[in-house]
Amino acid sequence: MKLIKPHESEQAGETVKKILFITTHLSGRGGTETVLSTVVRLLVEKKYEYVPKIFVLGGSTDKNWMNDLPHGESRYYKNSMLRNMAYFFTLIKLLKEERPEIVVGLDPLVCLFTNIIRKTFLGRYIIFSWIHFSLFHSNVRANLIPKADYHLSISSGISRQLSDLGIQQDRVFTVFNPVIHTVQTIERPVNGTTFIFLGRIYFEGQKRLKDLLDTLSHVEGNWTLEIFGDGIDMEKCRIYAKQLNLAPYVHWNGFVPRPWDKISRATALILTSAYEGMPMVLAEAIARGVYCISADCETGPEDIIIEKINGELYPAGDLKALERKLQDIVNGQTLPDQEAMKASLGKFHLDQYYLNFTGAISSVMSAAPLKD
């Protein structure tokens, strides 16, 4: 067996460690890509402590998000058995070539494969999981996550889920997700109410746009809904809106690469998800002074929404509670000062996030030997 030794490079007179972010196939348009690119860009800009690289097993459909970042990718196979075999052998080659001190797996399968490879080839690296979805929803193989040594959690809810998997508290670091500072403040309309929905279009499933349409069919007054996003249920949702006689009030903008550049006025953003990991659309909205109404789903919103300061939570699935909140806004509810709302995101700002993220990794690297 060949020993996979760690690689250390010298930069500005200091020893820096190589950190390899490994994920499976991505669309290139999601929140995971946004967070990953932001974090890697931060590490690149700091130019000390860590040398980062992204590797996408199966590649990214849209590659623009990582074009200016150190990255690599492999071929995607439709057959799941062939795909997983390709992932495994690609990882062997990758780890031998890159010789990282730290592997950050964004998919439970990566945690499993890098653990097996470390044992088989006597690799010496620490494995962190960094999962961006609720662990007990979607197709997340939660039973594989404990194969990582430590865990970067993006929300308080996911930290609780990791505990439910039997992972010790001292191996979990709640780092949240970063929000890029913006000077943009989106004006509130003077006449009428403009609601915003921003995300993938799922009739039910995760995003539950049906819940929002059903609720708005009972909200009276002068309001419109601007929807930004696309998805497999776009046509189904359009037809349903017509059936509810909402067509004149709902505007479908489709996928927009930089939606906040297109939104000139907004009263509130609405999130009706059944589950999330850390819904950064809420933080992005609040960073621009947009009030948020969100389902209090299992992970994420509780960390972002501060009641009546930057938004409100309602029990997930309780459409009567959502209706009351939306009707109050249409009726002229006084909303908080926009600058105060923007200031409420302190723990997500880039400088604080960098300290959270690197502090977690540094504390492990200083206390734990590289794993064999």
Side-chain angles (χ1 to χ4, degrees):
M1 290 183 294
K2 183 178 179 181
L3 176 68
I4 302 177
K5 297 179 180 179
H7 175 275
E8 290 189 347
S9 58
E10 296 295 324
Q11 202 172 75
E14 295 185 6
T15 300
V16 293
K17 293 179 172 60
K18 180 171 284 189
I19 179 169
L20 193 56
F21 295 87
I22 306 174
T23 183
T24 52
H25 177 74
L26 294 170
S27 70
R29 294 181 172 184
T32 298
E33 295 89 326
T34 300
V35 172
L36 179 54
S37 61
T38 299
V39 170
V40 171
R41 191 168 283 107
L42 266 176
L43 294 172
V44 169
E45 290 174 354
K46 295 295 184 181
K47 296 182 180 178
Y48 62 90
E49 290 192 87
Y50 301 104
V51 175
K53 183 175 181 178
I54 299 167
F55 196 89
V56 185
L57 295 164
S60 178
T61 304
D62 184 332
K63 306 179 191 304
N64 290 326
W65 66 278
M66 59 180 178
N67 277 346
D68 61 340
L69 297 172
H71 72 276
E73 56 183 334
S74 65
R75 179 180 171 184
Y76 181 81
Y77 294 90
K78 290 184 178 181
N79 180 279
S80 60
M81 183 175 293
L82 181 60
R83 182 167 65 244
N84 288 341
M85 288 179 59
Y87 285 178
F88 185 77
F89 287 107
T90 297
L91 281 174
I92 294 174
K93 183 174 184 290
L94 176 69
L95 292 166
K96 283 184 175 180
E97 290 177 350
E98 296 292 341
R99 293 179 292 153
E101 286 80 14
I102 303 143
V103 170
V104 179
L106 282 76
D107 186 290
L109 192 64
V110 173
C111 299
L112 172 65
F113 283 174
T114 54
N115 184 299
I116 293 172
I117 292 167
R118 184 173 64 187
K119 291 177 180 177
T120 305
F121 294 92
L122 304 181
R124 298 185 67 229
Y125 46 81
I126 301 291
I127 304 170
F128 286 84
S129 78
W130 191 29
I131 309 301
H132 288 257
F133 303 95
S134 175
L135 306 188
F136 303 136
H137 292 90
S138 295
N139 296 315
V140 176
R141 289 166 279 203
N143 62 308
L144 303 183
I145 295 173
K147 295 297 182 181
D149 306 306
Y150 297 91
H151 309 272
L152 300 170
S153 168
I154 64 172
S155 70
S156 299
I158 288 181
S159 294
R160 291 192 297 269
Q161 291 179 340
L162 289 167
S163 178
D164 291 341
L165 288 174
I167 294 169
Q168 297 176 359
Q169 188 175 355
D170 62 357
R171 292 183 174 270
V172 177
F173 300 88
T174 308
V175 296
F176 301 114
N177 271 341
V179 176
I180 298 174
H181 174 73
T182 176
V183 297
Q184 180 188 20
T185 299
I186 294 178
E187 296 181 11
R188 291 168 179 160
V190 176
N191 298 313
T193 298
T194 301
F195 294 121
I196 301 292
F197 176 92
L198 201 163
R200 290 190 181 94
I201 307 301
Y202 293 123
F203 186 66
E204 294 178 304
Q206 180 190 3
K207 298 298 183 180
R208 296 202 62 85
L209 189 56
K210 178 180 185 294
D211 286 359
L212 179 53
L213 296 174
D214 282 337
T215 302
L216 285 172
S217 69
H218 299 289
V219 175
E220 299 178 349
N222 183 12
W223 61 264
T224 57
L225 172 65
E226 297 287 341
I227 295 178
F228 293 85
D230 59 14
I232 58 174
D233 293 336
M234 172 71 85
E235 189 58 27
K236 185 175 183 178
C237 290
R238 282 178 178 268
I239 292 171
Y240 193 67
K242 289 180 180 179
Q243 290 173 347
L244 294 175
N245 297 316
L246 295 178
Y249 314 104
V250 179
H251 304 144
W252 305 85
N253 296 280
F255 173 76
V256 178
R258 298 173 62 89
W260 294 111
D261 291 346
K262 302 295 183 181
I263 300 172
S264 58
R265 287 179 174 78
T267 309
L269 179 138
I270 310 170
L271 185 78
T272 50
S273 297
Y275 59 91
E276 289 284 349
M278 172 61 80
M280 293 310 294
V281 67
L282 296 177
E284 292 169 0
I286 294 167
R288 293 163 173 79
V290 178
Y291 200 66
C292 291
I293 304 294
S294 173
D296 189 14
C297 54
E298 193 171 358
T299 70
E302 65 177 316
D303 291 314
I304 300 172
I305 300 294
I306 304 173
E307 201 72 13
K308 299 292 187 178
I309 300 298
N310 57 26
E312 300 172 49
L313 297 170
Y314 71 92
D318 187 344
L319 302 193
K320 283 295 182 183
L322 175 60
E323 180 187 333
R324 288 192 294 270
K325 291 181 182 298
L326 299 188
Q327 189 65 68
D328 285 346
I329 290 176
V330 173
N331 290 346
Q333 172 185 330
T334 300
L335 300 180
D337 175 76
Q338 289 180 289
E339 290 304 314
M341 288 174 55
K342 297 171 77 169
S344 70
L345 294 175
K347 65 183 178 183
F348 300 102
H349 289 166
L350 287 184
D351 288 344
Q352 182 59 52
Y353 180 81
Y354 182 80
L355 294 176
N356 294 346
F357 191 90
T358 58
I361 293 175
S362 297
S363 67
V364 169
M365 297 304 291
S366 62
L370 293 175
K371 294 283 186 176
D372 290 329

